[in-house]
Amino acid sequence: MSKISRRSFLKGAAIATALPLVANAAQAKKESLKFIHVTDSHMDLSNSDSVEAMEIMRDFINDNYKDLDFVLFGGDNFNNNAPSDKDALKFKEIADGLHCPYYSVRGNKESSPKGDNQINLAAFEKMFVDGRGLKTSGKDWLLETKGYNILGLDSCIEHQNNGLYTEKTLSFAEQTLKSGKPTLILNHHPYTNYWGGTEEKDIHKYVLNNTQEAQKRLFTYDNLLLTLSGHKHIDSVKEIQGSKVIVTRGFIRPLDLDMYPMRYVELSGNEINEKLIYTA
Ligand SMILES: [Fe+2]
């Protein structure tokens, strides 16, 4: 029978105690980030189907994606054309029913209030940015979670439907990327003419106006894993300098009755799994 010294017994016990910790650490490292990107829902109080669609979205996510970390709304979430801030409030009321947190950037609808009473930047921030644990810089925000940086960048120009990143936005994104952490960017206007548009006016409206500068300053960072945009309502998954560049089909474009599109994304380390999904 082999003898075990007190010293080696204690050492063994220490290893046995430490092992679960090591395993837990490895598990924590592999912990994945799961979220859904919903963009261009254009909820409009004058169209009850568009309101019902949002309720379907909320219930579908609550029933089928119970382990989501959050939902990201990509702008043009509501049409911002109801008297006062009624449509913003209705959108918030529905989204507040999600089982997980949600974060939003503005689209051209939110940045183009029609009257004095409709939602402007300050009102949007108060409703959808403040009090959510986000770091903010001007119109932009940063969510730090599970080792990832999620940047919500505002590419809107007040009262215009085209978009660009301001110097302040680009600097904030650069500073964030410099940390080296795996980073995602959520914004409204896509980076390329991915749909092959030929009308100059259309390209000006839909493609981020200073996309070349944005690509030069942001996409050169290897840790920029993924960008998520909307605005054009046409789905696309491409790459720019090794970063995955996604534009999600507009939620306003159902495939069939009650089949509203959104994108499910799961990240584990630098690995990205994503798919376009539909409600119902
Ligand atoms: Fe838009």
Side-chain angles (χ1 to χ4, degrees):
M1 194 171 134
S2 66
K3 263 193 184 173
I4 186 161
S5 70
R6 179 178 154 77
R7 187 183 162 83
S8 61
F9 173 78
L10 287 177
K11 199 173 159 194
I15 289 169
T17 317
L19 271 176
L21 291 177
V22 172
N24 282 345
Q27 211 165 15
K29 253 192 173 173
K30 276 191 189 159
E31 198 179 25
S32 59
L33 189 72
K34 297 171 188 170
F35 64 90
I36 285 177
H37 178 224
V38 182
T39 188
D40 297 85
S41 47
H42 289 271
M43 197 201 75
D44 195 312
L45 293 186
S46 66
N47 172 357
S48 61
D49 281 356
S50 75
V51 181
E52 200 188 310
M54 299 311 292
E55 291 165 347
I56 290 171
M57 175 276 303
R58 175 200 60 204
D59 296 345
F60 177 81
I61 290 177
N62 287 347
D63 290 347
N64 298 287
Y65 289 87
K66 294 182 195 295
D67 61 347
L68 277 194
D69 290 291
F70 48 77
V71 172
L72 297 177
F73 290 104
D76 287 2
N77 303 331
F78 48 90
N79 275 346
N80 205 15
N81 57 358
S84 185
D85 54 1
K86 271 192 181 148
D87 50 0
L89 284 172
K90 184 67 187 171
F91 177 89
K92 187 175 185 302
E93 180 199 311
I94 295 171
D96 282 350
L98 284 163
H99 71 77
C100 58
Y102 67 93
Y103 307 97
S104 316
V105 289
R106 296 191 307 166
N108 45 297
K109 290 291 178 188
E110 287 89 350
S111 72
S112 305
K114 299 282 185 304
D116 289 345
N117 294 328
Q118 284 151 18
I119 194 168
N120 59 15
L121 177 61
F124 181 88
E125 287 175 335
K126 201 170 165 201
M127 267 190 221
F128 300 108
V129 180
D130 297 350
R132 287 166 194 262
L134 302 172
K135 282 189 180 167
T136 57
S137 162
K139 307 187 291 174
D140 310 302
W141 52 257
L142 167 66
L143 168 68
E144 296 172 291
T145 185
K146 292 188 168 177
Y148 291 93
N149 279 336
I150 297 102
L151 274 168
L153 301 185
D154 187 302
S155 51
C156 299
I157 307 169
E158 302 311 302
H159 300 285
Q160 305 293 327
N161 54 21
N162 55 314
L164 58 75
Y165 284 150
T166 62
E167 176 54 37
K168 189 173 169 114
T169 293
L170 285 169
S171 306
F172 179 54
E174 278 176 321
Q175 285 311 313
T176 305
L177 283 160
K178 268 181 196 155
S179 72
K181 270 201 227 169
T183 300
L184 285 63
I185 294 179
L186 170 74
N187 86 312
H188 190 65
H189 299 82
Y191 297 92
T192 62
N193 172 12
Y194 66 91
W195 71 97
T198 50
E199 300 259 331
E200 201 48 52
K201 224 176 104 192
D202 250 23
I203 295 168
H204 177 73
K205 173 179 172 183
Y206 288 108
V207 180
L208 186 77
N209 290 175
N210 57 348
T211 185
Q212 290 311 326
E213 192 186 2
Q215 289 184 37
K216 216 164 108 189
R217 289 174 63 176
L218 310 183
F219 286 76
T220 38
Y221 285 91
D222 290 342
N223 53 314
L224 177 58
L225 293 187
L226 171 68
T227 64
L228 296 152
S229 311
H231 194 36
K232 189 71 186 104
H233 302 182
I234 298 173
D235 206 72
S236 164
V237 181
K238 296 211 159 130
E239 276 195 8
I240 296 177
Q241 296 179 58
S243 305
K244 194 161 263 194
V245 173
I246 290 177
V247 186
T248 296
R249 182 181 168 106
F251 186 81
I252 196 175
R253 293 184 65 204
L255 197 61
D256 202 344
L257 209 59
D258 296 343
M259 291 181 72
Y260 295 97
M262 352 183 242
R263 178 164 262 99
Y264 175 72
V265 182
E266 196 171 324
L267 300 174
S268 183
N270 289 339
E271 199 183 305
I272 306 166
N273 282 298
E274 56 76 27
K275 61 179 174 182
L276 190 68
I277 57 170
Y278 288 87
T279 57

mmCIF file of all heavy atoms in Angstrom, residues 40 76 108 188 231, ligand 1:
data_model
loop_
_atom_site.group_PDB
_atom_site.id
_atom_site.type_symbol
_atom_site.label_atom_id
_atom_site.label_comp_id
_atom_site.label_asym_id
_atom_site.label_seq_id
_atom_site.Cartn_x
_atom_site.Cartn_y
_atom_site.Cartn_z
ATOM 1 N N ASP A 40 -35.496 49.238 -37.651
ATOM 2 C CA ASP A 40 -36.488 49.788 -38.578
ATOM 3 C C ASP A 40 -37.879 49.184 -38.378
ATOM 4 O O ASP A 40 -38.502 48.726 -39.317
ATOM 5 C CB ASP A 40 -36.001 49.615 -40.028
ATOM 6 C CG ASP A 40 -34.721 50.396 -40.278
ATOM 7 O OD1 ASP A 40 -33.627 49.863 -39.984
ATOM 8 O OD2 ASP A 40 -34.799 51.553 -40.728
ATOM 9 N N ASP A 76 -35.103 54.159 -36.215
ATOM 10 C CA ASP A 76 -36.406 54.162 -36.885
ATOM 11 C C ASP A 76 -37.306 53.155 -36.159
ATOM 12 O O ASP A 76 -38.059 52.404 -36.765
ATOM 13 C CB ASP A 76 -36.307 53.845 -38.386
ATOM 14 C CG ASP A 76 -35.728 55.007 -39.192
ATOM 15 O OD1 ASP A 76 -35.364 56.039 -38.574
ATOM 16 O OD2 ASP A 76 -35.633 54.898 -40.426
ATOM 17 N N ASN A 108 -33.145 58.069 -38.543
ATOM 18 C CA ASN A 108 -33.520 59.383 -39.046
ATOM 19 C C ASN A 108 -34.924 59.784 -38.588
ATOM 20 O O ASN A 108 -35.236 60.966 -38.500
ATOM 21 C CB ASN A 108 -33.406 59.432 -40.567
ATOM 22 C CG ASN A 108 -33.999 58.221 -41.231
ATOM 23 O OD1 ASN A 108 -33.521 57.108 -41.027
ATOM 24 N ND2 ASN A 108 -35.041 58.414 -42.014
ATOM 25 N N HIS A 188 -27.322 53.276 -37.222
ATOM 26 C CA HIS A 188 -28.459 53.188 -38.155
ATOM 27 C C HIS A 188 -28.050 53.084 -39.631
ATOM 28 O O HIS A 188 -28.570 52.262 -40.373
ATOM 29 C CB HIS A 188 -29.380 54.400 -37.948
ATOM 30 C CG HIS A 188 -30.678 54.264 -38.689
ATOM 31 N ND1 HIS A 188 -31.617 53.290 -38.395
ATOM 32 C CD2 HIS A 188 -31.203 54.965 -39.741
ATOM 33 C CE1 HIS A 188 -32.644 53.400 -39.226
ATOM 34 N NE2 HIS A 188 -32.424 54.406 -40.046
ATOM 35 N N HIS A 231 -31.659 50.812 -41.728
ATOM 36 C CA HIS A 231 -32.009 51.933 -42.607
ATOM 37 C C HIS A 231 -32.491 51.524 -43.997
ATOM 38 O O HIS A 231 -33.502 52.004 -44.468
ATOM 39 C CB HIS A 231 -30.814 52.890 -42.711
ATOM 40 C CG HIS A 231 -31.098 54.232 -43.290
ATOM 41 N ND1 HIS A 231 -32.266 54.926 -43.086
ATOM 42 C CD2 HIS A 231 -30.338 55.043 -44.107
ATOM 43 C CE1 HIS A 231 -32.217 56.092 -43.733
ATOM 44 N NE2 HIS A 231 -31.063 56.171 -44.359
HETATM 45 FE FE FE B 1 -33.889 54.959 -41.590
#
